[in-house]
């Protein structure tokens, strides 16, 4: 199958999405589309290289928002019905809100709109599925209560991206998620993959429910379920 897989800027279910994408790419031609935020967030979680490693070649490209300018010419493939399936996993609340309002001003929202016009099915894994608390993971984070304000910050010295201001914060836009800082700090003052609970907003959950009205769009609860559906 020819599959297009869109990744938006959500940390929630991101690792599971990349793992599922890696599985699918073993048997199918997969083009990967990254929203601008998707590219940033993949890097923060140290997953960008894994996506880059499984892409390359015609219909197996890694397509970046910034390379598609404002008219998203690549999305023309969807209106022409060139793909058998479009998957968006994970999908942010931002992307869902745009989609249900017919807005198509990003690479991924444009792909979904054009897939609808080309009668191509879209499977969306939304992060905001049900109201209530949901556990999610953070990228690298300075734990200031553990920081000993060393004269030479080992974590900062170990960072190849110069992303750490000692005793202050990690600049996530520079961070590539390599995790070197976590190993380097002798006081364990840098966490990675810390689990937190966040509350799903009612507006986002109700937007997700509205996806039902879109022709050819189906909601899938987890990335793992995609493998079963596709096989
Ligand atoms: C580390 C990090 C994790 C994020 N995780 C989520 C998330 O799980 N769900 C979400 O809706 N937005 C999340 N965001 C915010 C989105 O990236 C932001 O709303 C962005 O504008 C979405 O753009 P997109 O929908 O075009 O990808 C996260 C941002 C950061 C920096």
């Amino acid at each position: 199958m020819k599959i297009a897989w869109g990744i938006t800027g959500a940390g929630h279910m991101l690792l599971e999405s990349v793992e599922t994408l890696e599985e699918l790419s073993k048997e199918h031609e997969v083009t990967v589309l990254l929203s601008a935020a998707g590219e940033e967030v993949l890097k923060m979680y140290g997953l960008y290289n894994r996506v880059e490693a499984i892409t390359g070649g015609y219909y197996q490209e890694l397509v970046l928002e910034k390379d598609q300018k404002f008219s998203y010419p690549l999305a023309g493939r969807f209106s022409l019905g060139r793909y058998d399936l479009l998957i968006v996993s994970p999908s942010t609340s931002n992307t869902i809100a745009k989609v249900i309002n017919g807005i198509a001003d990003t690479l991924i929202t444009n792909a979904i709109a054009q897939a609808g016009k080309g009668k191509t099915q879209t499977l969306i894994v939304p992060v905001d599925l049900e109201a209530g608390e949901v556990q999610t993971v953070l990228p690298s984070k300075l734990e200031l209560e553990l920081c000993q304000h060393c004269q030479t910050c080992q974590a900062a010295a170990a960072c190849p991206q110069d992303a750490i201001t000692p005793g202050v914060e990690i600049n996530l836009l520079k961070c590539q998620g390599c995790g070197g800082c976590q190993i380097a700090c002798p006081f364990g003052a840098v966490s990675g993959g810390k689990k937190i609970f966040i509350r799903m907003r009612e507006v986002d959950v109700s937007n997700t429910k509205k996806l039902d009205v879109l022709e050819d769009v189906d909601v899938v609860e987890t990335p793992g379920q995609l493998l079963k559906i596709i096989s």
Side-chain angles (χ1 to χ4, degrees), residues 82-122:
R82 295 280 194 262
Y83 288 100
D84 299 301
L85 182 65
L86 169 62
I87 293 168
V88 181
S89 175
S91 179
T92 59
S93 38
N94 172 64
T95 286
I96 303 276
K98 287 183 175 185
V99 168
I100 59 127
N101 283 293
I103 296 171
D105 67 347
T106 62
L107 175 59
I108 309 278
T109 54
N110 208 272
I112 296 170
Q114 300 308 323
K117 293 177 191 186
K119 297 185 201 141
T120 300
Q121 193 191 11
T122 299

Side-chain angles (χ1 to χ4, degrees), residues 67-197:
D67 295 335
Q68 289 288 305
K69 295 283 182 184
F70 301 105
S71 55
Y72 306 104
L74 185 120
R77 286 185 185 173
F78 296 97
S79 28
L80 295 171
R82 295 280 194 262
Y83 288 100
D84 299 301
L85 182 65
L86 169 62
I87 293 168
V88 181
S89 175
S91 179
T92 59
S93 38
N94 172 64
T95 286
I96 303 276
K98 287 183 175 185
V99 168
I100 59 127
N101 283 293
I103 296 171
D105 67 347
T106 62
L107 175 59
I108 309 278
T109 54
N110 208 272
I112 296 170
Q114 300 308 323
K117 293 177 191 186
K119 297 185 201 141
T120 300
Q121 193 191 11
T122 299
L123 300 178
I124 298 188
V125 180
V127 294
D128 301 274
L129 204 55
E130 276 170 26
E133 300 257 310
V134 168
Q135 195 180 53
T136 191
V137 289
L138 296 178
S140 299
K141 180 177 176 303
L142 272 194
E143 301 297 342
L144 293 179
E145 68 284 0
L146 295 177
C147 176
Q148 303 299 308
H149 302 277
C150 307
Q151 209 161 28
T152 301
C153 172
Q154 299 300 326
C159 178
Q161 308 300 326
D162 197 20
I164 300 179
T165 306
V168 181
E169 63 178 3
I170 298 176
N171 180 343
L172 287 178
L173 290 176
K174 286 187 177 177
C175 174
Q176 303 276 307
C178 71
C181 51
Q182 293 156 36
I183 298 163
C185 174
F187 301 102
V190 188
S191 61
K194 186 176 177 177
K195 295 196 165 88
I196 57 158
F197 282 92

